[in-house]
Structures are given as C-alpha cells and as structure tokens.
Amino acid sequence: MLINEQERNALYKVIYGRRDVRSEFMPTPVPNEVLLRILNAGHHAPSVGFMQPWDFVVVSEEFTKAAIKQGFDAANAQSAQLFSGERQEKYNSLKLEGIMDAPLGICVTCDRERNGPIVLGQTIKPEMDLYSTVCAIQNMWLAARAENIGLGWVSIIDDKVLRAALDIPERIEIIAYLCLGYVSEFSEQPDLEKHGWLARMDINDVIHAEKWSAQK
Amino acid sequence: MLINEQERNALYKVIYGRRDVRSEFMPTPVPNEVLLRILNAGHHAPSVGFMQPWDFVVVSEEFTKAAIKQGFDAANAQSAQLFSGERQEKYNSLKLEGIMDAPLGICVTCDRERNGPIVLGQTIKPEMDLYSTVCAIQNMWLAARAENIGLGWVSIIDDKVLRAALDIPERIEIIAYLCLGYVSEFSEQPDLEKHGWLARMDINDVIHAEKWSAQK
C-alpha cells in the first residue's frame, strides 16, 4: 500500500508538531473511543519476536493521581539538589509534570516473560523488549498528537511509587508514566528549548558517514 | 496547530502499514534528500532533558555491510541453538535480516554523556536517554514508511561487531542497526504473525483500568 505525498506530509506535520506537554492540559474529558485509538496505535508498534510485551494501565481517579503526584514532588525536590546556582533556580522554575491537570494517566509497563523465556531477536540484546515498549509509547505519542491531544512523559517518579499506587508486580518493568489530555495550545518549540535549558543541535552534528568517528 | 481528520487518518495508515522488513528490499538507491528527511524525523523525537543523545551512522559500503552480515550469521547460529525441535526448524526457516540487500544501514547510538553529567528528567530513571534514542528510531521507522521505504531492525548482532565495523567508542551505547531501502511490497501482516511464530494479542488483554492487577 503506497503512501501519497499528502499523507507523508501529514506524518511530518504530526512529528514536528508533537510536544512533551506539562502546562497546557485542559480538563475536557477524552472520549473512550479516542483513548482506544491511541492505545491501539501503541499495540501496533514493532516488537522483538512479535512478543508484544506492553501493558497499559489507564489512570483516571483523583486519588490515584494524587499518590503519583506526591511521588513526583518528593523525587523532584531530591533531583533539584543535583543542580546548583543559576541552573538550580532555572530547574525550580520549570513545570515538569501535569499529573493532576491531565484527565488521564497511562502507565506503560513491560512484561519480560511474556510469550516464553526465549525471545526471537532478543538472544543477543536482552534489552530489546524494553525498547519495543518504548516504540509503543512513541506510536501513542504521535497518535495522541494526531487526535490533538497532548501527552507528557513524567520520568521523575520512583518506580516504587507507581508500583504501590497501581499495584504493579515486582516482575513487571515500569517504562513510563504518561499524562494525556486536550490542551489549550501546542507550543511552537519544546519547553526546554523555549526556556533556554538547552538548544536544538544541528542535525549535521549527529550524522556520520560509514564510521562513528568520521568527520561529521 | 490543529491536525484535521484526513491528516489523522494518514498517521494511522502509516502506523498500521509499517513493517519490520527483512525480505523485500530492492537495490534502488535512496535519494539523499529522502534519507535526510528520515534522519530529521529521528532528530525531532522527544528526548529527556532535551539532551538529544542520538547519533546516526549511515552505512552504504559493501565492505562494511559484509562485516556486519558476518556478525549476524555468527550470532544467529548461536541463537538458533537456544530453540529446539519444531521451533528450531521454524527459526531456521525465517529470514531475519536484510543487511546485504538493503542499500543503506543506519546504526543508531546513544551518547550518555552528551550535554553534561546530570540530565533533567534522568535523575530518578537512568535509562531515560536510551529510551529517548528508541523514540528517535520509531520516528524514523514511521518516516521511512511514509516515504514508502522499508526499515528493518536487526537485533541479532553482537555490539562488538558493530563497534569494530563502525569504529564506535566504548563509551557510546549501541541501540540499533537498521536496514533501509525501497521494497517490492509491504506485507499485510508482520512476518512473524504470517509465519505462525506468534499471534497478535487481543488489545483488551493489555489494557487495565486504574490497577495493573485489575481484571482485564
């Protein structure tokens, strides 16, 4: 099945318009069929040995979100201490999560034992199942953007907090906690670029011909 | 910027039509501007703390590919031994790479020290930079599909082989070796589903409400 130019341009529009949303969430409910389309996009990600190791825990109760938010606050206070001076001030001025603002949370996990102990394609690189789960997240991120729904990946939470709040067994790997919801706007630039935390690198500095060590 | 229904449907068409390609590569050269659009899609993936930790080593020489193919053959023979009986026969009947057939290879790496020792968003979950790099790969996978270019992730190669062939320093993490090229067709189903290795799971079995342990 061929993709035409218009469809190709639509993909690039979604890729370039995607943001890691923290500040612009609105309480507008996300219809269930829209949520299902986003999850189904995740479920159709590539996976090593076709093992489909992901699970999606959909969080919508205030009580659950509050426990997760508390975990973020503790982890964030601890993290801020790793920066100093101006950099710490800047860190503390950034909003790094939208846990309570977003109507939905999705915890994405990886079941490393799914479909048997030996996984085709994972015999040499044991982390492949974790990476497959991340591919599912990126599919969901783009699907959400195409639904005009913002998504933010909150990584400043101890796994222990999510395990307790969402009753996740020890043998299950926690990959991400995502916040989802309609937004007041999608920023033109990533938040951290806009606020001067770091600049976008020149793409020529990350492309190498034939050898990693080659003149970029 | 709003995404309209037609654009949204285009994204889903790309997501559902994407395949992990091994068998259908054609030697048709990939124009440089098309390759650049695919790499640029990767470069616009989300990254923890906006660190953009990825590098893309573009492989096009037969000599380099042959060294990588040799590494695959050794790793694949070793991997086949982990299966037995009918499962091993099936394993050996599958084509799991298109290294020599695809006109291009891209090795995707992660520079864990890029932009300083402490990374915003990575203070609690140290694997976040690896996951950002995987997001870049999934962006490239979808961009390739939108360009009607097949992409296959070959994970059955020892990192040592890629390090030697592509001159990758020890401190740089190797995430993936990707094969890229135009294809004779995109399969309707994933290869491993088509060949009966595993079936597609019911999406309802991977969605949980509020608790991982909840009735699915």
Side-chain angles (χ1 to χ4, degrees):
Chain A
M1 198 172 49
L2 286 177
I3 304 291
N4 68 34
E5 200 179 322
Q6 213 169 16
E7 292 164 332
R8 182 194 79 192
N9 292 342
L11 175 79
Y12 286 129
K13 186 173 171 186
V14 171
I15 283 179
Y16 287 104
R18 182 208 50 76
R19 289 292 164 265
D20 197 342
V21 175
R22 282 89 167 73
S23 300
E24 297 87 5
F25 286 114
M26 297 193 304
T28 322
V30 175
N32 202 46
E33 68 267 24
V34 175
L35 173 63
L36 270 176
R37 285 201 296 264
I38 295 170
L39 294 173
N40 213 15
H43 190 50
H44 283 76
S47 66
V48 65
F50 204 50
M51 81 182 284
Q52 308 155 72
W54 41 70
D55 280 280
F56 310 118
V57 186
V58 179
V59 172
S60 55
E61 289 176 20
E62 293 300 293
F63 176 83
T64 318
K65 289 184 206 166
I68 294 169
K69 173 65 159 67
Q70 208 171 14
F72 168 84
D73 288 340
N76 198 44
Q78 184 190 329
S79 298
Q81 297 307 314
L82 300 171
F83 299 91
S84 56
E86 257 183 57
R87 205 70 176 156
Q88 190 182 64
E89 264 175 56
K90 174 82 88 176
Y91 184 93
N92 284 323
S93 75
L94 296 167
K95 179 161 162 58
L96 297 177
E97 55 74 41
I99 299 166
M100 299 307 293
D101 311 328
L104 291 178
I106 301 178
C107 185
V108 183
T109 62
C110 176
D111 180 353
R112 310 202 69 177
E113 295 160 23
R114 184 164 292 168
N115 286 314
I118 302 166
V119 178
L120 180 154
Q122 188 160 270
T123 48
I124 305 291
K125 229 173 153 55
E127 59 272 38
M128 284 305 294
D129 53 354
L130 307 175
Y131 293 173
S132 299
T133 308
V134 176
C135 287
I137 292 170
Q138 185 61 8
N139 263 12
M140 293 199 292
W141 214 328
L142 296 173
R145 182 61 188 88
E147 301 280 359
N148 296 302
I149 285 177
L151 186 155
W153 182 330
V154 187
S155 55
I156 308 171
I157 306 175
D158 201 297
D159 282 355
K160 281 200 301 281
V161 170
L162 293 168
R163 236 174 251 296
L166 308 176
D167 205 11
I168 300 171
E170 277 297 329
R171 67 173 193 86
I172 298 295
E173 192 84 20
I174 295 172
I175 308 296
Y177 185 77
L178 313 174
C179 298
L180 268 95
Y182 290 101
V183 293
S184 53
E185 59 161 354
F186 286 96
S187 248
E188 286 214 11
Q189 284 183 304
D191 281 7
L192 295 178
E193 186 180 19
K194 198 167 58 185
H195 294 119
W197 184 263
L198 279 175
R200 168 86 61 191
M201 290 176 67
D202 185 331
I203 187 160
N204 294 308
D205 290 340
V206 301
I207 301 177
H208 312 243
E210 215 65 24
K211 304 268 183 205
W212 196 94
S213 50
Q215 182 92 42
K216 294 185 194 188
Chain B
M1 198 173 46
L2 285 178
I3 303 291
N4 69 34
E5 200 179 323
Q6 213 169 17
E7 292 165 332
R8 183 195 78 192
N9 292 343
L11 175 79
Y12 286 129
K13 185 173 172 186
V14 171
I15 283 179
Y16 288 104
R18 182 208 49 77
R19 289 291 163 267
D20 198 342
V21 175
R22 282 90 168 72
S23 300
E24 298 87 6
F25 287 115
M26 297 193 304
T28 324
V30 175
N32 202 46
E33 68 266 25
V34 175
L35 173 63
L36 270 176
R37 284 201 295 264
I38 295 170
L39 295 174
N40 213 14
H43 191 49
H44 283 76
S47 67
V48 65
F50 204 50
M51 81 182 286
Q52 309 155 71
W54 41 70
D55 280 281
F56 310 118
V57 186
V58 179
V59 172
S60 55
E61 289 176 20
E62 292 301 293
F63 176 83
T64 318
K65 289 185 207 164
I68 294 169
K69 173 64 161 66
Q70 209 171 15
F72 168 84
D73 289 340
N76 197 45
Q78 185 189 328
S79 298
Q81 298 307 315
L82 300 171
F83 300 90
S84 57
E86 256 182 60
R87 206 71 175 155
Q88 190 182 63
E89 264 176 56
K90 174 83 88 177
Y91 184 94
N92 284 324
S93 75
L94 296 167
K95 179 161 162 59
L96 298 175
E97 55 74 40
I99 299 166
M100 299 307 293
D101 312 327
L104 291 178
I106 301 177
C107 185
V108 183
T109 62
C110 176
D111 181 353
R112 311 202 68 177
E113 296 159 22
R114 184 164 292 167
N115 286 314
I118 301 165
V119 178
L120 181 154
Q122 187 160 270
T123 47
I124 304 291
K125 229 173 153 55
E127 60 272 38
M128 284 304 295
D129 52 355
L130 307 176
Y131 293 173
S132 299
T133 309
V134 176
C135 288
I137 292 170
Q138 185 60 9
N139 263 12
M140 292 199 292
W141 215 327
L142 295 173
R145 182 60 187 88
E147 301 279 0
N148 296 303
I149 285 176
L151 185 155
W153 182 331
V154 186
S155 55
I156 308 172
I157 306 174
D158 200 297
D159 281 356
K160 278 200 303 282
V161 170
L162 293 167
R163 236 176 251 295
L166 307 177
D167 205 12
I168 301 170
E170 278 298 328
R171 68 172 193 85
I172 298 295
E173 192 83 22
I174 294 173
I175 308 296
Y177 185 77
L178 313 174
C179 298
L180 268 96
Y182 290 101
V183 293
S184 52
E185 58 162 353
F186 285 97
S187 248
E188 285 214 12
Q189 285 184 305
D191 281 7
L192 294 178
E193 186 181 17
K194 197 166 58 183
H195 295 118
W197 184 262
L198 279 175
R200 168 85 61 192
M201 290 176 68
D202 184 333
I203 186 159
N204 294 308
D205 290 340
V206 301
I207 301 177
H208 311 244
E210 215 66 24
K211 305 268 182 205
W212 195 94
S213 51
Q215 182 91 42
K216 295 186 195 189

